[in-house]
Amino acid sequence: MSLSILQQFNWSAMTPEFIILGVSALLTLLDLFMPKSLDRKILGWIGIAAILAAIVSVLGMVGGPVTSILDNSFRLDSFAMAFKLLLLAGSGLVLFLAVSYKAKDGLEEYHGEFYYLFLSALLGAMIMTSSGDLITLFIGLELLTVSSYILAGIRKYNLESNEAAMKYVINGGISTAITLFGMSYVYGLTGSTNLIEIAGRLSSVSDGQQAYLLTLAFLIVFVGLSFKLAAAPFHMWAPDVYQGAPTPVTAFLSVVSKTAGFVIVLRILLTVFGSAASVGDPSKPILLEMQDYLAFIAGATMIIGNVVALRQSNIKRMFAYSSIAHAGYILVAITSLSSNMFYSIWFYLLAYMLMNLGAFAVIQVVSEKTGSTKIADFAGLYRRSPVLAVVMGILLVSLAGFPGTAGFIGKLNIFIGAFYGTPHYVLASVMIATTVISYFYYFGVMTQMFFRPASDDSKFNLPFGIIVVLIVAVVGSVLFGVMPNIALDFMQNNLDVLADFFS
Amino acid sequence: MSSVPASAFLALALILFCIGLYGALTKRNTVIVLISIELMLNAVNINLVTFSKYGMAPSITGQIFALFAISVAAAEAAVGLAVLISLYRARKTVNIDEMDTLKN
Amino acid sequence: MTFSGEFLAFMGIALVAIIGGVLLLNLTKVVHMVVSLIFTFVAIAGLYVLLSAEFVAAVQILIYSGAITIIMLFGIMLTKHNDEHEPKTGKWRKILVFLGVLGFAAAVYLGIYNFNIEQVPTTLHENNTMQIGKALYSKYIIPFELTSVLLLVALVGSIILAKNEKKEADDQ
Amino acid sequence: MMENAWLIPLFPLLSFLILLLFGKRLKEASSYVGILLTLASLVYSILVLFERFSEPTFITKFDWLTIGDMHLTAGFEVNQLNALMLFIVSLVSFLVHTYSKGYMQGDERFPVFYAYLGLFTFAMLGLVISPNLLQTYIFWELVGVGSFLLIGFYFYKDEAKAAAKKAFIMTRIGDVGLFIGMILLFWETKSFEYSEIFAAVDAGAVSGTMITLTAILIFIGAVGKSGQFPLHTWLPDAMEGPTPVSALIHAATMVAAGVYLVAALFPLFAASKTALLTIAVIGAFTAIFAASIGLVQTDIKRVLAYSTVSQLGYMMLALGSAGYVAGVFHLMTHAFFKALLFLAAGSVIHAVHTQNIEEMGGLWKKLKLTGPLFLIGTLAISGVPGLSGFFSKDEILVAAWEGGHPILFLLALAAAFMTAFYMFRLFFMVFTGEARGNQQHVHESPANMTYPMILLGVLAIVAGYVNTPWFGTFLGDWLVDGNKALEHHGHAEGSPLIMIAATVVSLAGIYLAYLMYSKRSLKRNWLSGTGDTLHTILTNKYYVDEFYQMTVVAFTKGFSYFLRFIDVFLVGGLVKGVTGIVQGLGAAGSRLQSGQVQTYGAVAFIGLAVLVVIFALTGGYLR
């Protein structure tokens, strides 16, 4: 394949990736050559500008046809665009948090590295959304993961940060190995890494042993990837890493990284295993046969996340468990495989991004003020800063899935989907029951904020970045709760995910 | 065609994978844990290379995949070690069970 | 199954690889463990040759037996491992993990023990490196370039994390 | 007017927003904002109600959310039930707003209180004009939030905080049922719209078992909200809130929401005999259960709380016996007289600064207005002929009898007896006899507290006459007019014997209370204290007393203890068990989180191994 052939491809489909990659390189150079005395925050603002540019370029491509480069090793379909928008928006908000971040033991000295590593992580996530090839997916995943390891440990003179990074690396390494082990069997049974080719070849597997091996591969890959989702059984790293990592990184891990995890799960599970014949009944794809297992994992994730969250006294840990629980809710949507699955997952991730990032913005402000991340630090927040308390209240209510907020609509979508086809009564009941449990800890924080006296009366001053995040989060949570059709119309009019996902 | 069946290679890979996994989950020294993870990745590579020759529709792709896996493994090892060193600076230990300041 | 040369080579290599792994689990000195694992890595390279993947075999020797093992040794030395003994990590966890490994291995073995796909003659060993190169620079150019980013990130990240700037500042 | 009925809930919302933003600056003037805006709601509701008398149901909706190929709508509807509820809710809310101006005077967080009242009223009004289940559910939850805030208003009191949380969580448990039932119904009928659901049920598109299942699930929601057994325990605890709140929440609005829901979905329930029977049984049981607990309470508000639970049980019994009109009718009269009782109780508390009836007494002379008003409320709830409660209770008893539930009828009759007894016990202990406790500066409440009570007092007397077997059943006829599904559930003609029986038991209850608490010929602490009961019996010369003592009283006492046992051990035990399990799980999960990174990996891997092995053993090709 010569250069001229390479030039034939429609490389413009990769514009958002090129922007991120280019700016990431630019920031590296700038960081090297800028005088040491200059504030590195400017790099953050350049990063934000790059993300905005990437969003614009994605929006510019919305509605276009499916573009495939090099045998699907890069493909731009509606699914890719929809989730790329989520990832970009989430990362943009996280960057706003990051430019306002002032930890006591100084991230200042490392600010430069932070931004370009952050962008490279984002690049990895974006690649995952638009790849139809196992190798590219895997490399994207690793780019995200390795960058995240470093980000988690970037406060290198802070013991907690170091420990968080170490735990992340070890669990991440194991998960990578497990995922790859499963993938290797998928490759072996098809001789291809191209997802669509794989799907084509697998639909005709008739040998019992091969179908069996493939199902094992399904379980292995899924458990390996559940690390990224922070879903059971690979969830236990999350609380420790979330607690130890700097707050913007925690926000990144709990929102962007998790979204990317769902992206790769959807890509691989649906295309590869959605058509592969299963052991027992060749007419039934593996994905359907494995529904019980998925349901079990989803249920366990919801129960563990919500129940253990009750016992937390550290706000970041509590949010770690809550994020585990949210992963469980989304897994319910994957389990039930309803016709609106893509939409409900996308919407849920959108809502989750808004409310979670908003909550992390508040957490960041409060914990910077007090120097710790105890839930008790929120006592009397209403007295000290009514605005902050009300904002946090709205976001918590949304996280709890209360009517009138985006969180409710997200849960409603998933819940309605759970009754699609064969209704999953047990799973739906677990979802509702654990949602009720979640009220206890969300309202625990509310009680602290509104019903407790404050320890001191000092006020908060909110940096610009935090204000932006808070406004976007609150407006979004309420807007999508009251008028959810906005998001839906966008999705339906422009992005026909279901149609071009498998083509 | 070949006197060694594909399943023999696969079984060897499985054994090595399990050894690596067991090491990663039970060894006390963090460096050994990291290297056990490398062993797991190696086992995966054996699978990939085997399939590239004896699998369905043999092709070079498996070897390519293995190469990618090797480079990723190298990157992970490097980062893992760097994290370990910065942790060691603060904690003066490489014992994995002493990393427990973060817990419930 | 005949006792062909290939078979004998496989048996020998497999034996070395597994012994290396088992030694990793059973030795007490950290450095010894790493060295025992070098055997395994080299043996795996031999396996690749058997599987007509000469280039991968070379890379395996270079990267694993060379680079990774060396940085691990460096890591051991830099962190002045203070105890060489391997005291018990929770006994129960060991037992459970062992049972888990057994179950997992058994279940997967059921899937592969009889794995035989009709073998087709391959041309993998002919100009192996060139085939890889061609594929890498055409079909897999995107992941290839991304890998370069990944390695760069790992490089920069490792330097950032491992460098002790406080000390440096003191020296100057 | 009706096409703009959506404005009605918006007035209180506006009040909420204004007070949220400017409450601090407005201070005590906040009350005027709240009062005026609820007055606007009230006036508008009255206009809508009158218009609805002559015009057909008005309904409008628009697309709100599309899921897959389902279109969910939002909008509002004014039918008979909705119009009536709008009126009741806005009236009671307006009166409570006015009353609170006096009652809450001097409270530091006065504007906040009014803001919460506005939010709550908004939610409740929104609830009663919702044309579909989903919208109902959304407002249903909002009502929960409002009540959470109001009950926990005195958050510096630990009991209030606990009560708020309990109310919230207990009703949430019911909501789980409602939500699941709602979604199931959605899948069966492809719609949340009431009208479409009824049409589907009518057309037989839903299987019988599914109707029963969804109806019962939805009823669980009503059980939680309306404090029916076994989810009733939050209601008495919720008395920790300010008294006007109790009048609002526990008389006319939140607790009535459950009854309203069952009434609004009545055609669905009517399609399943099992569902109706469940409702009737739970209702009757709750009625007698709560009444018997009410016999021994010493806190004035708790007595009223249990009586509320009991009266709600009546309404459920009525609905369950297919007495749609009876249930709604009692909902209305109860709203008036119970609000009156709570406000009067608030006035008493305001005067004597205690809630313990043991420390009251002889207030009749000191509270010249509150006393008679309280008496009116007591007479009404006891079912004394001529007052509103009498007619609606009679309607319920007729419905129960005609519905073919003689046992439930007897239970209801027994509960009526108890109600009369404990309400008059309350009345006699508070208002007659010697003053007990420390009552120095007892004075009547200010005008803005007494006027609402007077208005409610008038309503408590006359409201019953809109639907009587004597003068005509206007309400009943109007409620079912033009609604095919409700045709057979209008006013039921019953034997006059029922009315006589009801009168006899209520008078008997009053007489017994009189003997024990006013005339003192029976030792007055035979139930609540550890007095020498034997002695009382021996010295007692009245045949009728001995008769009571041996039969009714002994039975009641035993039964009462039995029910308390159930309440404490069974329900309490169940709740403890569930929380215990949850906490145990939490503790276990928490302990596993030991900080050992390899444990985390091990858990993940063992999880994988278990999944794989299970698959190999069950689903594998080796099977």
Side-chain angles (χ1 to χ4, degrees):
Chain A
M1 211 178 293
S2 65
L3 196 63
S4 60
I5 299 176
L6 280 182
Q7 278 167 345
Q8 286 169 9
F9 293 113
N10 186 8
W11 292 104
S12 65
M14 286 185 81
T15 319
E17 281 80 6
F18 285 136
I19 293 176
I20 299 296
L21 177 62
V23 173
S24 173
L26 176 75
L27 293 187
T28 318
L29 294 177
L30 275 180
D31 189 40
L32 267 180
F33 293 114
M34 256 165 65
K36 278 243 158 80
S37 54
L38 266 177
D39 191 2
R40 293 298 196 260
K41 250 181 205 168
I42 182 78
L43 300 185
W45 293 111
I46 297 175
I48 291 172
I51 286 175
L52 283 178
I55 290 178
V56 170
S57 75
V58 173
L59 285 177
M61 291 186 284
V62 160
V66 178
T67 316
S68 163
I69 298 175
L70 283 171
D71 218 3
N72 260 338
S73 68
F74 183 91
R75 63 182 268 125
L76 186 76
D77 50 15
S78 298
F79 174 83
M81 286 186 269
F83 283 91
K84 231 176 256 186
L85 283 176
L86 276 188
L87 293 170
L88 284 167
S91 312
L93 292 176
V94 172
L95 270 189
F96 273 114
L97 287 186
V99 290
S100 319
Y101 182 72
K102 306 187 271 302
K104 290 255 151 62
D105 42 359
L107 185 60
E108 288 86 347
E109 310 152 56
Y110 325 110
H111 250 146
E113 296 95 27
F114 177 86
Y115 295 118
Y116 51 78
L117 288 173
F118 183 88
L119 287 184
S120 65
L122 171 62
L123 177 67
M126 285 166 73
I127 290 293
M128 282 154 76
T129 62
S130 53
S131 178
D133 190 284
L134 275 186
I135 295 181
T136 321
L137 281 173
F138 172 66
I139 297 294
L141 176 71
E142 283 308 306
L143 184 53
L144 169 66
T145 313
V146 171
S147 308
S148 310
Y149 295 156
I150 303 163
L151 288 176
I154 204 156
R155 282 160 69 194
K156 65 177 174 183
Y157 295 112
N158 177 298
L159 177 60
E160 288 198 344
S161 183
N162 292 334
E163 193 181 315
M166 197 68 241
K167 287 180 171 173
Y168 198 29
V169 169
I170 289 172
N171 271 309
I174 294 174
S175 99
T176 303
I178 291 178
T179 314
L180 261 185
F181 194 63
M183 281 184 180
S184 74
Y185 286 125
V186 173
Y187 165 72
L189 290 170
T190 58
S192 172
T193 54
N194 182 305
L195 292 184
I196 290 173
E197 260 175 53
I198 291 176
R201 289 186 193 167
L202 284 183
S203 52
S204 59
V205 168
S206 52
D207 182 68
Q209 193 180 22
Q210 290 182 15
Y212 170 78
L213 188 57
L214 200 63
T215 315
L216 287 190
F218 172 89
L219 287 172
I220 297 172
V221 169
F222 187 80
V223 170
L225 289 178
S226 71
F227 167 79
K228 273 271 143 236
L229 314 178
F234 228 134
H235 63 281
M236 293 184 76
W237 59 273
D240 290 12
V241 175
Y242 282 21
Q243 185 189 347
T247 310
V249 177
T250 309
F252 177 80
L253 291 182
S254 80
V255 174
V256 181
S257 176
K258 192 184 288 268
T259 306
F262 278 105
V263 164
I264 191 170
V265 164
L266 285 176
R267 274 275 183 216
I268 293 184
L269 295 198
L270 289 187
T271 28
V272 173
F273 299 99
S275 52
S278 61
V279 180
D281 175 7
S283 64
K284 197 172 160 194
I286 288 181
L287 197 51
L288 276 180
E289 195 186 303
M290 288 287 100
Q291 255 182 343
D292 288 347
Y293 291 78
L294 284 180
F296 177 74
I297 289 175
T301 308
M302 290 188 286
I303 292 174
I304 291 170
N306 282 313
V307 166
V308 186
L310 290 174
R311 300 178 59 86
Q312 303 308 315
S313 59
N314 182 304
I315 188 93
K316 276 165 102 177
R317 285 190 89 82
M318 194 200 92
F319 267 83
Y321 284 107
S322 124
S323 101
I324 292 171
H326 284 284
Y329 302 143
I330 302 175
L331 283 178
V332 173
I334 294 184
T335 308
S336 49
L337 288 173
S338 70
S339 56
N340 66 335
M341 176 182 68
F342 281 116
Y343 170 67
S344 51
I345 292 175
W346 183 78
F347 187 91
Y348 200 94
L349 285 168
L350 171 70
Y352 174 72
M353 171 190 95
L354 290 168
M355 53 209 190
N356 221 30
L357 286 182
F360 272 111
V362 179
I363 292 173
Q364 183 175 319
V365 171
V366 173
S367 61
E368 269 173 22
K369 188 86 179 175
T370 55
S372 82
T373 49
K374 286 201 278 295
I375 293 180
D377 294 339
F378 283 77
L381 187 66
Y382 181 69
R383 300 287 170 83
R384 299 172 66 183
S385 171
V387 179
L388 217 51
V390 168
V391 163
M392 186 69 170
I394 293 174
L395 296 170
L396 285 174
V397 159
S398 183
L399 280 165
F402 228 76
T405 58
F408 172 72
I409 305 291
K411 282 211 179 86
L412 184 71
N413 283 335
I414 290 177
F415 200 82
I416 287 183
F419 289 88
Y420 177 87
T422 44
H424 299 265
Y425 292 114
V426 178
L427 198 55
S429 314
V430 170
M431 181 171 170
I432 293 290
T434 50
T435 304
V436 172
I437 294 176
S438 77
Y439 285 132
F440 282 97
Y441 57 86
Y442 290 128
F443 278 81
V445 181
M446 296 271 256
T447 319
Q448 290 282 352
M449 292 192 305
F450 292 100
F451 293 172
R452 289 275 156 80
S455 50
D456 68 312
D457 274 346
S458 58
K459 301 291 179 211
F460 293 93
N461 45 351
L462 300 178
F464 175 70
I466 297 283
I467 294 176
V468 171
V469 177
L470 289 182
I471 290 176
V472 172
V474 168
V475 169
S477 299
V478 175
L479 188 72
F480 290 124
V482 179
M483 288 183 281
N485 254 10
I486 302 176
L488 180 76
D489 286 344
F490 171 74
M491 192 86 164
Q492 271 182 342
N493 297 339
N494 300 307
L495 302 166
D496 194 356
V497 171
L498 204 56
D500 51 354
F501 186 75
F502 297 104
S503 64
Chain B
M1 215 189 123
S2 164
S3 56
V4 186
S7 49
F9 288 95
L10 298 180
L12 176 62
L14 180 62
I15 291 170
L16 290 180
F17 185 83
C18 289
I19 290 177
L21 195 55
Y22 185 77
L25 295 179
T26 53
K27 291 276 121 177
R28 195 156 174 258
N29 188 305
T30 312
V31 178
I32 298 303
V33 170
L34 287 174
I35 215 163
S36 297
I37 294 174
E38 297 304 318
L39 185 59
M40 289 164 78
L41 288 168
N42 255 291
V44 172
N45 288 343
I46 297 179
N47 262 354
L48 287 171
V49 174
T50 308
F51 283 133
S52 126
K53 185 163 185 187
Y54 295 137
M56 196 77 81
S59 66
I60 196 82
T61 312
Q63 296 188 11
I64 306 254
F65 205 159
L67 286 174
F68 279 114
I70 289 175
S71 30
V72 165
E76 274 199 4
V79 172
L81 212 59
V83 172
L84 178 63
I85 286 173
S86 77
L87 177 67
Y88 178 77
R89 219 168 19 227
R91 199 82 168 81
K92 297 286 173 231
T93 177
V94 288
N95 286 340
I96 202 161
D97 47 1
E98 288 172 39
M99 289 193 277
D100 58 354
T101 47
L102 299 168
K103 61 182 169 193
N104 271 357
Chain C
M1 202 183 287
T2 52
F3 286 89
S4 66
E6 193 184 355
F7 179 77
L8 286 177
F10 173 78
M11 285 316 278
I13 288 170
L15 213 58
V16 174
I18 293 177
I19 287 174
V22 171
L23 283 180
L24 167 85
L25 296 183
N26 287 318
L27 286 176
T28 48
K29 273 199 147 186
V30 179
V31 180
H32 294 179
M33 294 180 191
V34 176
V35 173
S36 77
L37 210 58
I38 294 180
F39 283 102
T40 307
F41 288 152
V42 173
I44 291 174
L47 218 52
Y48 292 158
V49 176
L50 277 186
L51 289 165
S52 26
E54 290 85 4
F55 183 72
V56 183
V59 171
Q60 166 81 11
I61 300 250
L62 284 177
I63 305 242
Y64 275 106
S65 323
I68 291 185
T69 321
I70 299 292
I71 57 168
M72 288 297 169
L73 285 174
F74 265 113
I76 290 169
M77 284 175 224
L78 278 177
T79 54
K80 298 177 215 136
H81 61 285
N82 34 14
D83 58 342
E84 298 165 347
H85 299 288
E86 282 282 323
K88 58 272 157 199
T89 23
K91 205 172 88 196
W92 276 108
R93 193 176 72 211
K94 259 188 178 164
I95 294 170
L96 281 175
V97 168
F98 187 70
L99 287 178
V101 165
L102 276 188
F104 178 80
V108 176
Y109 185 70
L110 281 180
I112 56 170
Y113 79 97
N114 205 9
F115 185 89
N116 51 359
I117 289 168
E118 200 183 322
Q119 290 178 11
V120 261
T122 54
T123 53
L124 291 172
H125 54 281
E126 296 168 10
N127 290 328
N128 181 265
T129 314
M130 196 163 102
Q131 286 188 43
I132 289 176
K134 274 186 177 166
L136 216 49
Y137 286 105
S138 57
K139 202 174 160 192
Y140 294 103
I141 189 82
I142 293 175
F144 181 75
E145 294 300 333
L146 280 172
T147 311
S148 67
V149 179
L150 172 64
L151 289 174
L152 195 68
V153 164
L155 176 76
V156 173
S158 310
I159 292 173
I160 293 168
L161 291 179
K163 200 168 87 175
N164 193 348
E165 282 160 59
K166 277 186 181 161
K167 211 178 200 172
E168 220 169 61
D170 295 343
D171 289 347
Q172 280 164 3
Chain D
M1 291 315 290
M2 283 199 289
E3 57 274 22
N4 289 323
W6 53 273
L7 284 170
I8 298 175
L10 291 191
F11 291 119
L13 178 65
L14 187 64
S15 154
F16 167 66
L17 293 176
I18 292 176
L19 294 178
L20 201 65
L21 293 175
F22 307 110
K24 271 191 182 157
R25 245 165 282 167
L26 286 169
K27 302 224 169 66
E28 304 265 308
S30 311
S31 58
Y32 293 113
V33 177
I35 292 170
L36 283 178
L37 285 167
T38 37
L39 180 63
S41 280
L42 174 61
V43 171
Y44 211 119
S45 306
I46 294 174
L47 292 175
V48 166
L49 181 65
F50 277 103
E51 194 180 342
R52 185 61 192 76
F53 283 139
S54 50
E55 293 194 18
T57 297
F58 181 84
I59 179 165
T60 185
K61 58 193 177 185
F62 57 91
D63 261 13
W64 176 62
L65 170 63
T66 320
I67 297 176
D69 45 4
M70 322 300 172
H71 294 272
L72 309 187
T73 55
F76 71 95
E77 178 178 5
V78 184
N79 57 25
Q80 293 99 319
L81 181 62
N82 294 0
L84 183 67
M85 287 301 292
L86 278 179
F87 168 66
I88 297 174
V89 172
S90 55
L91 173 69
V92 175
S93 172
F94 166 68
L95 294 176
V96 166
H97 270 79
T98 318
Y99 179 91
S100 305
K101 182 166 165 37
Y103 190 86
M104 299 300 290
Q105 198 137 43
D107 193 290
E108 187 195 347
R109 291 160 65 236
F110 190 82
V112 180
F113 182 73
Y114 268 91
Y116 289 171
L117 278 185
L119 176 67
F120 182 84
T121 310
F122 158 68
M124 195 63 209
L125 288 172
L127 172 68
V128 299
I129 62 167
S130 299
N132 64 55
L133 256 178
L134 184 65
Q135 204 178 331
T136 306
Y137 178 79
I138 289 175
F139 282 108
W140 182 272
E141 295 287 326
L142 207 56
V143 167
V145 179
S147 70
F148 172 76
L149 293 171
L150 284 171
I151 295 171
F153 185 72
Y154 294 136
F155 61 77
Y156 36 83
K157 288 203 298 190
D158 279 340
E159 297 86 14
K161 211 156 54 190
K165 219 168 170 178
K166 188 170 181 183
F168 192 72
I169 301 296
M170 292 294 269
T171 54
R172 281 295 311 176
I173 293 172
D175 296 352
V176 174
L178 169 60
F179 193 69
I180 296 179
M182 182 176 104
I183 302 283
L184 273 181
L185 205 52
F186 177 78
W187 275 108
E188 290 296 317
T189 64
K190 303 289 172 224
S191 174
F192 284 123
E193 299 292 317
Y194 288 135
S195 50
E196 286 175 35
I197 290 173
F198 300 153
V201 169
D202 203 37
V206 189
S207 70
T209 31
M210 205 35 116
I211 293 180
T212 308
L213 180 65
T214 51
I216 288 179
L217 282 168
I218 290 174
F219 177 62
I220 292 175
V223 165
K225 223 40 154 200
S226 287
Q228 299 292 292
F229 181 85
L231 297 178
H232 62 281
T233 54
W234 66 269
L235 209 150
D237 288 9
M239 291 301 133
E240 295 296 339
T243 309
V245 168
S246 309
L248 183 62
I249 293 184
H250 303 118
T253 55
M254 177 168 160
V255 293
V259 180
Y260 166 78
L261 183 72
V262 175
L265 278 167
F266 194 74
L268 173 71
F269 287 96
S272 162
K273 284 215 161 56
T274 324
L276 280 186
L277 187 65
T278 314
I279 298 178
V281 169
I282 298 259
F285 182 73
T286 309
I288 191 150
F289 172 75
S292 68
I293 297 177
L295 296 175
V296 293
Q297 296 297 318
T298 55
D299 181 309
I300 182 167
K301 284 178 75 182
R302 280 186 172 259
V303 176
L304 292 179
Y306 279 108
S307 98
T308 305
V309 175
S310 161
Q311 296 296 313
L312 289 165
Y314 264 110
M315 297 175 210
M316 289 297 185
L317 168 63
L319 291 170
S321 318
Y324 175 74
V325 168
V328 176
F329 184 32
H330 196 60
L331 172 63
M332 180 184 87
T333 57
H334 174 257
F336 298 142
F337 62 67
K338 186 51 65 61
L340 170 64
L341 283 169
F342 268 117
L343 292 186
S347 178
V348 170
I349 296 166
H350 195 67
V352 300
H353 302 291
T354 173
Q355 300 194 11
N356 190 343
I357 54 175
E358 303 279 354
E359 296 169 12
M360 299 176 188
L363 291 173
W364 182 260
K365 286 172 217 128
K366 292 171 190 157
L367 301 176
K368 289 244 158 48
L369 216 49
T370 307
L373 286 168
F374 198 94
L375 181 61
I376 291 174
T378 314
L379 287 168
I381 195 175
S382 306
V384 171
L387 282 81
S388 61
F390 168 72
F391 297 112
S392 55
K393 204 173 274 186
D394 177 54
E395 187 88 42
I396 291 177
L397 290 172
V398 169
W401 182 257
E402 296 291 320
H405 307 301
I407 297 172
L408 299 183
F409 171 80
L410 288 178
L411 281 180
L413 214 54
F417 166 76
M418 288 187 201
T419 307
F421 173 76
Y422 68 74
M423 282 310 297
F424 269 91
R425 162 179 174 263
L426 179 65
F427 176 78
F428 288 132
M429 284 187 69
V430 173
F431 289 102
T432 65
E434 298 292 304
R436 297 178 295 271
N438 188 15
Q439 296 174 13
Q440 304 296 322
H441 309 288
V442 175
H443 53 81
E444 186 54 90
S445 304
N448 49 22
M449 286 172 69
T450 51
Y451 284 141
M453 293 198 290
I454 293 171
L455 184 59
L456 283 171
V458 173
L459 282 171
I461 298 174
V462 304
Y465 289 94
V466 296
N467 191 49
T468 67
W470 303 345
F471 305 113
T473 52
F474 314 111
L475 180 77
D477 299 340
W478 175 67
L479 274 175
V480 299
D481 179 41
N483 196 333
K484 222 175 81 208
L486 299 174
E487 254 168 13
H488 308 295
H489 307 292
H491 169 74
E493 284 300 328
S495 154
L497 278 176
I498 293 176
M499 191 176 278
I500 294 169
T503 313
V504 168
V505 290
S506 86
L507 291 180
I510 296 173
Y511 182 59
L512 181 62
Y514 169 72
L515 289 179
M516 285 169 53
Y517 295 102
S518 188
K519 204 170 165 226
R520 307 294 165 96
S521 47
L522 267 172
K523 201 166 176 185
R524 52 172 288 273
N525 58 353
W526 59 265
L527 251 179
S528 57
T530 50
D532 187 359
T533 332
L534 189 68
H535 181 72
T536 319
I537 296 170
L538 288 176
T539 53
N540 198 338
K541 293 187 179 68
Y542 292 101
Y543 170 74
V544 63
D545 293 347
E546 282 169 3
F547 176 76
Y548 271 140
Q549 200 72 346
M550 281 159 61
T551 56
V552 184
V553 169
F555 172 74
T556 325
K557 200 169 164 183
F559 193 56
S560 168
Y561 281 124
F562 171 65
L563 292 180
R564 268 212 75 69
F565 172 79
I566 290 183
D567 196 28
V568 172
F569 290 97
L570 213 75
V571 180
L574 208 67
V575 171
K576 274 211 190 84
V578 171
T579 46
I581 289 171
V582 168
Q583 278 169 350
L585 274 177
S590 192
R591 206 170 311 125
L592 208 54
Q593 196 83 28
S594 56
Q596 295 293 330
V597 59
Q598 283 170 319
T599 308
Y600 305 171
V603 166
F605 173 67
I606 290 170
L608 171 64
V610 167
L611 288 178
V612 164
V613 168
I614 289 176
F615 176 70
L617 293 180
T618 62
Y621 72 109
L622 294 174
R623 179 178 47 179

